[in-house]
Amino acid sequence: MKYGILIVSHVPEIAAGVPRLIQQVAKDVAITSAGGTDENEIGTSLEKIQQAVEQNAGSEILAFYDLGSARMNLEMAAELATKKLRIYDVALIEGAYVAASLLQAQVGLPAIEKQLAPLKIKNQE
Amino acid sequence: MKYGILIVSHVPEIAAGVPRLIQQVAKDVAITSAGGTDENEIGTSLEKIQQAVEQNAGSEILAFYDLGSARMNLEMAAELATKKLRIYDVALIEGAYVAASLLQAQVGLPAIEKQLAPLKIKNQE
Amino acid sequence: MKLTLEKYLSWINEFSQKVIDKKDYLSDLDSKIGDGDHGNNLARGVTAVQQMLTAKQPQDLTAALKLTAMALISKVGGAAGPLYGTAFLEMAKTSSQTTELAELLTAATAGLQKRGQAKAGDKTMVDVWLPVTAALKNADLTSTVIEKAVASTKPLVAKRGRASYLGERSIGHLDPGAVSSGYLFEALLVAEDEK
Amino acid sequence: MKLTLEKYLSWINEFSQKVIDKKDYLSDLDSKIGDGDHGNNLARGVTAVQQMLTAKQPQDLTAALKLTAMALISKVGGAAGPLYGTAFLEMAKTSSQTTELAELLTAATAGLQKRGQAKAGDKTMVDVWLPVTAALKNADLTSTVIEKAVASTKPLVAKRGRASYLGERSIGHLDPGAVSSGYLFEALLVAEDEK
Ligand SMILES: Nc1ncnc2c1ncn2[C@@H]1O[C@H](COP(=O)(O)OP(=O)(O)O)[C@@H](O)[C@H]1O
Ligand SMILES: Nc1ncnc2c1ncn2[C@@H]1O[C@H](COP(=O)(O)OP(=O)(O)O)[C@@H](O)[C@H]1O
Ligand SMILES: [Mg+2]
Ligand SMILES: [Mg+2]
Ligand SMILES: [Mg+2]
Ligand SMILES: [Mg+2]
């Protein structure tokens, strides 16, 4: 499978819940997630993110996150990973939902990114 | 307390996780949530929403949801409730985070709504 | 045509049976352009309707419509819950003024559109409720009208509900809510024939 | 000024001690305009740094800087983790070419800005790293320079990090990352004095 989806949240419950929501509309899409710190406190863990990248069956990863510090850890993971990571500054749940349903419908990446564009609400300069 | 925050998601885990994320930056804000169907399947439950409205210490509720059918149940809850519900068509996690942190900082509703406006990504005609 | 309690009960029973029979088909349709639960959702809903009607034995049409609405609203769990629920609730409200079916359905369809904000052509159940209501007003509701309305959703691009996220990819699939609404109105024709 | 392994170790030890002493204060600052964990995050980080340095006994500056970076990156859990981590990682990389402190900090600050996209005046730790680096280049880093830089964050509107959600309401509060960065550079002055 080419593309997989990665969810990174500060909260373990959100990281568990979003895949449940989107897997329902994307049965065949690889979805993994990382949530919370190593102690499952609120925060993010580079190690958990790296594991979620490795465990993802996709060879290229579309990554979605909640808050800015998750993005920074995602970037570090991207720099250390052998797989390509694409980080989207879109609404976490809604963006991941769109990406998952379009991947399931075998829509190509350019069309997916076009549909994600209006959901960009983060990291604006 | 005047305003409370209500999170409605199709997934119980998301409904548990978002309050964890936002309560951390809004210690004094009333936050309740409803997630999943009565059987904790993916979906929403009017009854759970009504309970979350009642249990919320706020006398006026700022409500955030994930997908459109949650909005419809929220509207039904709004029609049946004695409290005023304001439903925001914004990114769930990011919108609730903004509202919670601003309520905690005792920002007034007009300023909060102004800051929510760019996060509106749902229900566009 | 006037709706009576008796006629209503055979209508809703007929519909319930059909939904339960077609549960898997409806969910399959929904899995193409949604989350694959429409049949399960509605089956859970109509089962609750049956239980409510049996338990409460409503003595008039308004009460029966209201019980139906409540059961659907509280048990369906998906978009179909507030949508069908609102439709039946509006019929219940209107039935205290008139029992003319065309009027009941006019109110129901208006409620449906208020709840879901869908217009004609958005590829939703509204695309069945609107033409059926129009046909009833002219007293010429037939299976053909219903079938045509249901089939009309196939080439459309979804603008509302989960299918709308698929954009163009929703083309070529029947809308599950339109199909279940088709069953509702076919059931009405069957109930009418029984009279 | 050239950084040696010995000097670096007393610098980082001094900083670690300070962070642990001021843990609650840093978290209190963060609870005003963030999520109230900056002190706990950093304390967890520097504790891991101490453990790593003790366990691995690095034999050169580059290795020591790299271990510091790794410990911070993996243990902090908040924005400060990738930010401080990247800063020390850039110092580690640069230290194989030069041990001139001004050069190391130039690389560190550039890394920090790349990681967090913050500019001067955005009310972040960058508002301390930039003037401190500039002062080091002119060989006139003093406590006054550091204090002024930290204090400069108070009247600013946050543009990056969690505090940015508060907009105008972030005015009047010190940035916690700026304060902890102030400790880092005060610790440097102490380590220098020890020479
Ligand atoms: N906004 C809307 N307006 C009208 N009908 C809608 C709307 N959203 C969804 N629907 C209808 O609901 C059907 C899906 O119902 P269901 O599967 O029970 O809900 P969900 O999408 O929540 O799983 C769709 O096929 C469509 O006919
Ligand atoms: N994008 C950024 N660029 C530079 N510094 C930042 C950025 N985001 C946050 N910071 C710094 O990090 C500090 C907060 O660190 P910490 O509390 O550990 O992280 P978190 O906000 O994830 O809880 C802020 O006070 C600020 O100095
Ligand atoms: Mg469905
Ligand atoms: Mg559903
Ligand atoms: Mg913090
Ligand atoms: Mg934090």
Side-chain angles (χ1 to χ4, degrees):
Chain A
M1 189 188 326
K2 178 132 194 220
Y3 298 111
I5 287 182
L6 170 63
I7 305 296
V8 181
S9 170
H10 276 63
V11 184
E13 287 85 349
I14 296 177
V18 178
R20 249 192 105 182
L21 182 72
I22 68 180
Q23 196 83 70
Q24 203 196 16
V25 293
K27 298 265 181 297
D28 306 312
V29 178
I31 301 167
T32 56
S33 69
T37 66
D38 291 339
E39 294 79 26
N40 288 323
E41 300 289 317
I42 299 175
T44 56
S45 151
L46 177 61
E47 203 181 314
K48 281 192 180 179
I49 296 173
Q50 288 179 302
Q51 277 172 13
V53 169
E54 273 164 42
Q55 282 160 12
N56 196 296
S59 58
E60 204 168 319
I61 305 293
L62 313 188
F64 300 87
Y65 66 92
D66 52 6
L67 297 173
S69 70
R71 187 189 213 286
M72 292 190 238
N73 264 331
L74 259 170
E75 278 178 30
M76 305 220 62
E79 288 161 19
L80 298 164
T82 49
K83 293 182 189 179
K84 181 165 178 57
L85 260 77
R86 298 172 185 270
I87 305 173
Y88 294 98
D89 301 316
V90 298
L92 171 59
I93 298 178
E94 298 82 355
Y97 185 93
V98 164
S101 34
L102 295 178
L103 282 179
Q104 179 67 29
Q106 313 208 295
V107 174
L109 191 62
I112 294 178
E113 293 192 336
K114 210 174 138 198
Q115 208 159 321
L116 286 176
L119 304 183
K120 183 169 191 300
I121 56 169
K122 290 169 183 169
N123 220 38
Q124 288 103 331
E125 293 301 83
Chain B
M1 193 188 323
K2 179 133 194 223
Y3 299 110
I5 288 182
L6 170 63
I7 304 297
V8 181
S9 170
H10 276 63
V11 184
E13 287 85 350
I14 297 177
V18 178
R20 247 191 106 184
L21 182 72
I22 67 179
Q23 195 83 69
Q24 203 196 14
V25 293
K27 298 264 180 298
D28 306 311
V29 177
I31 303 166
T32 55
S33 70
T37 66
D38 291 338
E39 294 79 27
N40 288 323
E41 299 289 316
I42 299 176
T44 56
S45 150
L46 177 61
E47 202 181 314
K48 280 190 181 180
I49 296 173
Q50 288 179 301
Q51 277 172 13
V53 170
E54 273 164 42
Q55 281 159 12
N56 195 297
S59 57
E60 205 168 319
I61 305 293
L62 313 188
F64 301 87
Y65 66 93
D66 52 5
L67 298 174
S69 71
R71 187 190 214 288
M72 292 190 237
N73 264 332
L74 258 171
E75 277 177 31
M76 306 220 60
E79 287 161 19
L80 296 164
T82 49
K83 292 182 190 179
K84 180 164 178 57
L85 261 76
R86 298 172 185 271
I87 306 173
Y88 294 98
D89 301 317
V90 298
L92 171 58
I93 297 178
E94 297 83 354
Y97 185 93
V98 164
S101 34
L102 295 179
L103 282 178
Q104 179 68 30
Q106 313 208 294
V107 175
L109 189 62
I112 294 177
E113 293 192 336
K114 209 174 137 197
Q115 208 160 321
L116 286 176
L119 305 182
K120 184 170 189 300
I121 56 170
K122 290 170 184 170
N123 220 36
Q124 286 105 331
E125 292 302 84
Chain C
M1 184 202 148
K2 303 253 183 214
L3 191 61
T4 61
L5 173 62
E6 204 193 343
K7 230 183 284 181
Y8 175 66
L9 292 176
S10 56
W11 175 19
I12 198 73
N13 290 341
E14 183 70 28
F15 174 56
S16 300
Q17 202 46 59
K18 186 78 178 191
V19 165
I20 288 163
D21 289 351
K22 295 289 192 173
K23 183 172 89 163
D24 291 345
Y25 174 62
L26 289 172
S27 286
D28 283 352
L29 288 176
D30 194 30
S31 72
K32 301 269 173 32
I33 54 172
D35 57 348
D37 61 4
H38 186 59
N40 296 289
N41 286 347
L42 261 195
R44 198 164 47 234
V46 296
T47 303
V49 169
Q50 293 302 326
Q51 281 166 355
M52 279 275 234
L53 292 176
T54 310
K56 302 266 165 107
Q57 295 283 336
Q59 294 304 306
D60 61 63
L61 178 62
T62 302
L65 286 164
K66 201 162 173 183
L67 280 179
T68 305
M70 288 307 156
L72 293 172
I73 289 168
S74 61
K75 286 295 162 211
V76 170
L83 288 165
Y84 274 105
T86 300
F88 281 92
L89 202 57
E90 291 302 319
M91 286 200 259
K93 285 189 206 161
T94 309
S95 69
S96 55
Q97 271 117 60
T98 170
T99 58
E100 194 57 56
L101 192 59
E103 306 248 18
L104 299 183
L105 281 184
T106 302
T109 305
L112 206 62
Q113 289 198 270
K114 185 181 154 263
R115 184 66 67 219
Q117 302 289 318
K119 300 181 300 293
D122 283 356
K123 196 180 183 103
T124 70
M125 55 176 73
V126 166
D127 291 322
V128 173
W129 286 72
L130 279 174
V132 163
T133 303
L136 267 177
K137 274 188 190 150
N138 298 324
D140 60 2
L141 179 64
T142 60
S143 276
T144 316
V145 169
I146 299 168
E147 280 159 26
K148 243 186 69 185
V150 171
S152 79
T153 63
K154 197 163 183 172
L156 295 173
V157 177
K159 299 285 185 195
R160 286 277 155 194
R162 288 174 179 266
S164 65
Y165 293 99
L166 292 180
E168 307 270 303
R169 297 290 167 137
S170 61
I171 291 175
H173 301 281
L174 288 170
D175 175 63
V179 173
S180 64
S181 296
Y183 296 158
L184 179 67
F185 298 116
E186 295 285 359
L188 175 64
L189 293 182
V190 173
E192 269 192 76
D193 275 354
E194 277 171 9
K195 90 192 117 184
Chain D
M1 184 204 151
K2 303 250 183 218
L3 191 61
T4 60
L5 172 62
E6 203 193 345
K7 227 183 283 182
Y8 174 66
L9 292 176
S10 56
W11 175 20
I12 198 73
N13 289 340
E14 184 70 29
F15 174 56
S16 301
Q17 201 47 59
K18 185 79 178 191
V19 165
I20 288 163
D21 290 350
K22 295 289 191 173
K23 183 173 89 162
D24 291 344
Y25 173 62
L26 289 172
S27 285
D28 282 352
L29 287 176
D30 194 28
S31 72
K32 301 271 173 32
I33 54 172
D35 57 349
D37 61 6
H38 186 59
N40 296 288
N41 286 347
L42 262 195
R44 198 164 49 235
V46 295
T47 303
V49 170
Q50 293 302 326
Q51 282 166 355
M52 280 273 235
L53 293 176
T54 310
K56 304 267 164 106
Q57 295 283 336
Q59 294 302 307
D60 60 64
L61 179 62
T62 302
L65 286 165
K66 202 164 174 182
L67 280 179
T68 305
M70 289 308 157
L72 293 172
I73 289 167
S74 61
K75 286 296 162 209
V76 169
L83 287 165
Y84 274 104
T86 300
F88 280 91
L89 202 57
E90 291 303 318
M91 286 198 262
K93 285 188 208 162
T94 309
S95 68
S96 56
Q97 271 117 58
T98 169
T99 60
E100 194 58 56
L101 193 59
E103 306 249 17
L104 300 183
L105 281 184
T106 301
T109 304
L112 206 61
Q113 289 198 271
K114 183 179 155 267
R115 184 64 68 220
Q117 302 288 318
K119 301 182 300 294
D122 282 356
K123 197 182 182 100
T124 70
M125 54 177 72
V126 166
D127 291 322
V128 172
W129 287 72
L130 280 175
V132 162
T133 303
L136 268 176
K137 274 186 188 152
N138 298 326
D140 61 1
L141 179 64
T142 60
S143 276
T144 315
V145 169
I146 299 167
E147 280 159 25
K148 243 187 71 186
V150 172
S152 80
T153 63
K154 196 162 185 172
L156 296 172
V157 177
K159 298 286 185 196
R160 285 276 154 195
R162 289 174 178 264
S164 65
Y165 293 99
L166 292 180
E168 306 269 303
R169 296 290 167 136
S170 61
I171 291 176
H173 302 281
L174 289 169
D175 175 63
V179 173
S180 64
S181 296
Y183 296 158
L184 179 67
F185 298 116
E186 293 286 358
L188 176 64
L189 293 184
V190 173
E192 270 193 75
D193 276 353
E194 276 169 9
K195 91 192 119 185

